Every structure is written in structure tokens, then in C-alpha cells.
Amino acid sequence: MFSAIVSLALAASALANVYITSPVASTTFTAGQQATVSWQDNGQSPSLVQFGNATFAIYVGNAIQQTPLQNIATVNVSTTSSIVFTPDGTIGPDSDEYFIRITSLTLMDPTQPQYPAEAFSAKFTLTGMTGSFNASIQAQIDGQSTAPIGPTSSVPSASPSMTAVKTSTVPATTSKATTSTSPSPSSNAAVKPVVTGFVGFVAALIGASFL
């Protein structure tokens, strides 16, 4: 369990993709130190009210297979614009292969309605790490055809309205709406291949080249 500070404000989506402004491709987070995930409204449909409650987690992998390594929080992205959390140093080694995946608990992917809508950050770097990737996870990373991943559209200025609230704990497991099984933060066991959000993930791959 880790504590998280959640900033309340209006956020947004882009074709079922939250526009993530942190982390970006140049971001480096350090294990054991506070890090921020943030997103903004780009005015496109569907709205973040539709995206609604969503789980945030650190992942590695490729457009077809992704493995969750650390659950961050579950928040309503229409009333929240940032999350402060502490990266767990045991989830892997120092690497620039990490990314944030956001999975909606209320909105389905319009192109694959059997799966929840998802959004992806650019790949970012974690340092001060003490873990390692097992063979299955490394194979997923090696299977990437394009890198890095990231958001796909421009972002207007953020909403000027913002307050903050602290959450006492962060859920230890991802929601049932997520189709992969999340390991504990200290485990790198391989999980069932994930095929959700393929279109959004590939779009993110292309968009990050402009960061």
C-alpha cells in the first residue's frame, strides 16, 4: 500500500485517450521518491465524464502484450487531474521501458467494445531500481515494433480550477474491468497476454515521436 495525493480539477480525453502530460518521454522518476502522473483536457470526444473512474498502473510490454508491475490508484478522471505516488524500486531494473496505462471502469473501447477504453503515457525512465525483468517480461519488451509510446494529440491550457485531497490508501489490485491479472508490486511473474486497447496503444506509439 502507498499513500497518494490526488489533485481535483477538470481533466479530459482524446478519442477515449486521456492526454497524459506527465510522464513524457524525457521524464525520469526515482524509486522511493514522489512522482506525478497528470493529464489535461484537449476538448475532444468522448469526455472524461464518460471515461469516468479509471485505474492507473505502471506497465511494460508492447502493443499486444503488457504486464502490470505497480498499481498506482483508482480515480475519476473527470474530477481529478493528477496523482502523486511513490515508485516501487523492486518492480524492475533501471530502465526506460516503463509506461503508465489508464483503464476506464465505465467506458468501453469504441473500436473494440468488448474491452475497456484505455490510455497510455510515453515510455519513461525509472532509476534507483533494485528489481529485474523476468524472461517473459523481457520478451514482451523485445517484441516492440515501435517506441516510445505516448499521447496522440495537442493539449490546450489546463483548467484554472484545482484543489487537492489526500487519499489514505491505494487499491492493491486492479479493477475487474482490467483484463490482465496484476501481480503484487514485488512480483514480475508473467501474466496472460493483454490485447485490450490495441488501437489506442498503437496510436500512442506514433504520437510519442513528437514529444
Side-chain angles (χ1 to χ4, degrees):
M1 297 282 188
F2 358 90
S3 62
I5 301 170
V6 180
S7 299
L8 299 182
L10 293 178
S13 67
L15 299 176
N17 284 331
V18 180
Y19 187 94
I20 300 172
T21 57
S22 176
V24 296
S26 60
T27 299
T28 297
F29 291 153
T30 302
Q33 297 183 15
Q34 287 190 336
T36 300
V37 179
S38 60
W39 56 97
Q40 291 183 354
D41 188 348
N42 70 354
Q44 297 186 28
S45 179
S47 69
L48 282 195
V49 172
Q50 292 172 298
F51 204 96
N53 291 326
T55 60
F56 288 68
I58 298 176
Y59 278 72
V60 293
N62 57 58
I64 302 299
Q65 297 174 304
Q66 302 155 26
T67 297
L69 299 180
Q70 179 181 347
N71 299 307
I72 297 174
T74 298
V75 299
N76 189 314
V77 296
S78 69
T79 57
T80 305
S81 64
S82 66
I83 301 167
V84 177
F85 75 104
T86 303
D88 182 350
T90 67
I91 64 173
D94 288 356
S95 175
D96 60 1
E97 297 291 345
Y98 300 97
F99 58 89
I100 304 297
R101 191 174 99 177
I102 308 174
T103 304
S104 175
L105 304 183
T106 57
L107 180 68
M108 304 308 289
D109 187 327
T111 62
Q112 298 182 94
Q114 69 271 36
Y115 299 121
E118 295 174 341
F120 302 87
S121 76
K123 291 198 303 180
F124 62 92
T125 300
L126 284 177
T127 62
M129 306 294 284
T130 60
S132 62
F133 295 144
N134 66 25
S136 297
I137 290 176
Q138 191 61 54
Q140 290 180 7
I141 294 170
D142 294 342
Q144 297 175 106
S145 59
T146 310
I149 61 176
T152 61
S153 58
S154 59
V155 178
S157 59
S159 169
S161 174
M162 181 173 291
T163 57
V165 61
K166 289 185 178 180
T167 61
S168 58
T169 60
V170 173
T173 58
T174 57
S175 164
K176 62 183 179 181
T178 303
T179 59
S180 59
T181 302
S182 297
S184 66
S186 61
S187 171
N188 273 345
V191 299
K192 182 178 180 180
V194 179
V195 294
T196 63
F198 177 81
V199 173
F201 191 98
V202 172
L205 290 173
I206 298 170
S209 62
F210 298 103
L211 293 177

